[in-house]
Amino acid sequence: LPGDRLLLCSDGLSNYFTDSAIVAELLAKPHIVSQPHPLIEYAKDAGGADNITAVVVETLSESNTDPLPDTEERMKFLRESFLGRSLSVRRLLHLMTASATIHCSEGKELIALDAKCPGMYIVMEGSFRVIDDDVVEAELVKGDCFGQATLIAPAKSPAGLVANEASRVMLVDRRKFTRLTKRLPRLGNLLLRNLCRDLSEIIVASDAPRPIS
């Protein structure tokens, strides 16, 4: 997960770790990635005389929209969305790498009518007006999705989205989603199946006969 730290070291260091809590405490130090000398000092203080080598790496998010992603909440929304249907936790984690959180203040336009749509939006908090030619057509609330078809092919937004209040959305980026489906074909098949099923339900619902008033 983004923010995880991994320690690669020689036995000149690992031999002196008697408790995993010690490792966790050392890896939690603020500058341990760029300055791992506390690990070396720990081994020396413990009596280490052998070669002591340590490298610490930290995983980063692919998204630059939210450098400290709200991982658990995004996992929850992806799991409950049509896209995450029947996906294991491992596959949901892969899907999450294609997502980012966007914060919108009241009145902010998330996307304009006919603007290039970057992917699919899932409302995490607040609500949005769906505007077409200055007419409010609908409202998106928590859990609603917008732009599903964009995950299949580039498209312009069929409407504008404006925040009714301070709101948050999760963006599943189309380009990252496409790369993910190509890199992991089995996951890609599941995601495209879920996506096609959802789009089919939308088409059927839009073609349903409406009662004459």
Side-chain angles (χ1 to χ4, degrees), residues 8 85 114 145 192:
L8 307 176
R85 187 181 298 143
D114 289 332
C145 300
L192 293 174

Side-chain angles (χ1 to χ4, degrees), residues 116-121 146-148 150-151 171-175:
K116 185 178 180 180
C117 194
M120 182 184 78
Y121 297 104
F146 179 85
Q148 294 94 311
T150 309
L151 294 178
L171 170 66
V172 179
D173 184 272
R174 183 185 65 80
R175 291 182 178 180

Side-chain angles (χ1 to χ4, degrees), residues 20-210:
S20 60
I22 298 174
V23 184
E25 182 180 349
L26 288 167
L27 292 183
K29 292 182 178 294
H31 305 294
I32 196 68
V33 176
S34 58
Q35 302 173 23
H37 60 269
L39 293 163
I40 309 301
E41 294 303 318
Y42 170 82
K44 289 181 178 179
D45 292 343
D50 196 1
N51 174 50
I52 305 171
T53 305
V55 176
V56 180
V57 295
E58 183 172 12
T59 58
L60 301 176
S61 170
E62 290 186 12
S63 164
N64 59 7
T65 306
D66 50 352
L68 296 174
D70 38 4
T71 305
E72 290 187 7
E73 190 175 10
R74 280 197 287 162
M75 276 284 289
K76 174 179 178 293
F77 275 92
L78 286 174
R79 184 186 301 112
E80 294 176 353
S81 73
F82 72 88
L83 205 53
R85 187 181 298 143
S86 301
L87 294 188
S88 65
V89 172
R90 178 174 59 84
R91 285 172 169 163
L92 284 169
L93 286 171
H94 283 302
L95 177 57
M96 193 170 64
T97 64
S99 71
T101 304
I102 300 175
H103 298 259
C104 296
S105 56
E106 181 180 354
K108 179 180 178 180
E109 184 177 59
L110 177 62
I111 189 169
L113 172 66
D114 289 332
K116 185 178 180 180
C117 194
M120 182 184 78
Y121 297 104
I122 303 176
V123 180
M124 300 175 66
E125 182 181 11
S127 62
F128 291 82
R129 299 189 298 278
V130 182
I131 302 175
D132 185 3
D133 290 333
D134 296 326
V135 177
V136 178
E137 298 287 347
E139 184 174 85
L140 297 180
V141 297
K142 185 175 180 179
D144 286 343
C145 300
F146 179 85
Q148 294 94 311
T150 309
L151 294 178
I152 296 178
K156 293 182 178 180
S157 177
L161 296 183
V162 177
N164 291 322
E165 56 197 303
S167 304
R168 284 184 301 139
V169 298
M170 175 167 34
L171 170 66
V172 179
D173 184 272
R174 183 185 65 80
R175 291 182 178 180
K176 293 179 180 179
F177 180 84
T178 300
R179 288 199 297 267
L180 179 64
T181 58
K182 291 180 178 179
R183 182 167 60 89
L184 300 172
R186 291 185 179 180
L187 173 58
N189 287 338
L190 290 173
L191 292 173
L192 293 174
R193 181 198 65 187
N194 289 345
L195 180 57
C196 290
R197 181 180 298 171
D198 183 73
L199 291 173
S200 297
E201 292 173 357
I202 292 174
I203 292 172
V204 169
S206 65
D207 287 342
R210 300 179 180 178

